[in-house]
Amino acid sequence: MRYTFKIGEELVKVAPRSMADELILAIGEQNCRVVFDHGREGRCTLTLDGRSYESWVARDGDDIYIKMASHYFKVTAVDPRAAASGASAGAGAISAPMPGVVVEVLVAEGDTVVEGDKLLTIESMKLQSTVRAACDGVVGRIHVSEGSEFNKDDVLVEIESE
């Protein structure tokens, strides 16, 4: 099975190759041996192909934030079933991944968007994240405005396929 992760603005395909004694992942075109030892308060050791990195990991919904070797990464698992169900339904309803508040609305009704475009900035548990278009189309209805509070699974934006 192949998974898609968004690292920064780049989509990366990852496929497990072996999980018997160790995890071997095909990341893009490269096979990597991965060992992930968890410690306290998000601290962990991440070993890639025998090279160890002291790291810190925090999770916010589907987003994983990693600090490794003085670099910060945001990794988001892309669920192909969610994107496919939104596209096949004609209107892609973008639902809230967690309760929170809208910080900024980045699109207007009638705007044309492509999959991955930024739609909203939201805040939950003092962490801000970006809500992105799950499919290509036209912004049909925006159900929230700046400062609006919402609950998990509330529809925030609807995208109509062209």
Side-chain angles (χ1 to χ4, degrees), residues 18-74:
S18 169
M19 298 193 311
D21 295 327
E22 60 188 16
L23 179 61
I24 298 177
L25 298 176
I27 302 174
E29 299 299 319
Q30 181 179 0
N31 287 329
C32 297
R33 250 186 33 227
V34 179
V35 178
F36 203 68
D37 294 324
H38 288 279
R40 294 178 159 215
E41 299 175 359
R43 175 177 244 150
C44 63
T45 302
L46 178 63
T47 304
L48 297 171
D49 287 333
R51 188 166 178 191
S52 294
Y53 302 91
E54 195 67 24
S55 307
W56 286 264
V57 177
R59 185 178 186 136
D60 178 26
D62 290 336
D63 296 329
I64 301 168
Y65 297 89
I66 302 171
K67 178 185 178 201
M68 181 172 73
S70 301
H71 298 298
Y72 292 88
F73 302 93
K74 177 182 173 187

Side-chain angles (χ1 to χ4, degrees), residues 4-12 74-78 115-117 132:
T4 302
F5 292 92
K6 187 166 196 156
I7 302 175
E9 296 299 317
E10 182 180 353
L11 291 176
V12 178
K74 177 182 173 187
V75 178
T76 303
V78 177
E115 181 178 345
D117 279 356
R132 297 179 182 273

Side-chain angles (χ1 to χ4, degrees), residues 13-162:
K13 303 280 186 191
V14 176
R17 294 286 184 228
S18 169
M19 298 193 311
D21 295 327
E22 60 188 16
L23 179 61
I24 298 177
L25 298 176
I27 302 174
E29 299 299 319
Q30 181 179 0
N31 287 329
C32 297
R33 250 186 33 227
V34 179
V35 178
F36 203 68
D37 294 324
H38 288 279
R40 294 178 159 215
E41 299 175 359
R43 175 177 244 150
C44 63
T45 302
L46 178 63
T47 304
L48 297 171
D49 287 333
R51 188 166 178 191
S52 294
Y53 302 91
E54 195 67 24
S55 307
W56 286 264
V57 177
R59 185 178 186 136
D60 178 26
D62 290 336
D63 296 329
I64 301 168
Y65 297 89
I66 302 171
K67 178 185 178 201
M68 181 172 73
S70 301
H71 298 298
Y72 292 88
F73 302 93
K74 177 182 173 187
V75 178
T76 303
V78 177
D79 183 354
R81 293 170 297 173
S85 68
S88 66
I94 310 296
S95 299
M98 65 200 103
V101 64
V102 177
V103 174
E104 185 177 17
V105 178
L106 302 167
V107 293
E109 292 178 3
D111 285 356
T112 300
V113 295
V114 296
E115 181 178 345
D117 279 356
K118 297 176 181 181
L119 305 174
L120 306 168
T121 301
I122 61 173
E123 183 175 305
S124 182
M125 299 180 294
K126 298 183 182 180
L127 291 174
Q128 289 190 2
S129 58
T130 302
V131 175
R132 297 179 182 273
C135 60
D136 297 352
V138 175
V139 177
R141 181 153 185 237
I142 300 173
H143 294 267
V144 294
S145 59
E146 291 182 16
S148 295
E149 293 184 3
F150 54 84
N151 293 309
K152 182 179 183 347
D153 297 326
D154 283 355
V155 175
L156 303 173
V157 178
E158 292 180 33
I159 299 176
E160 300 167 357
S161 60
E162 293 184 287

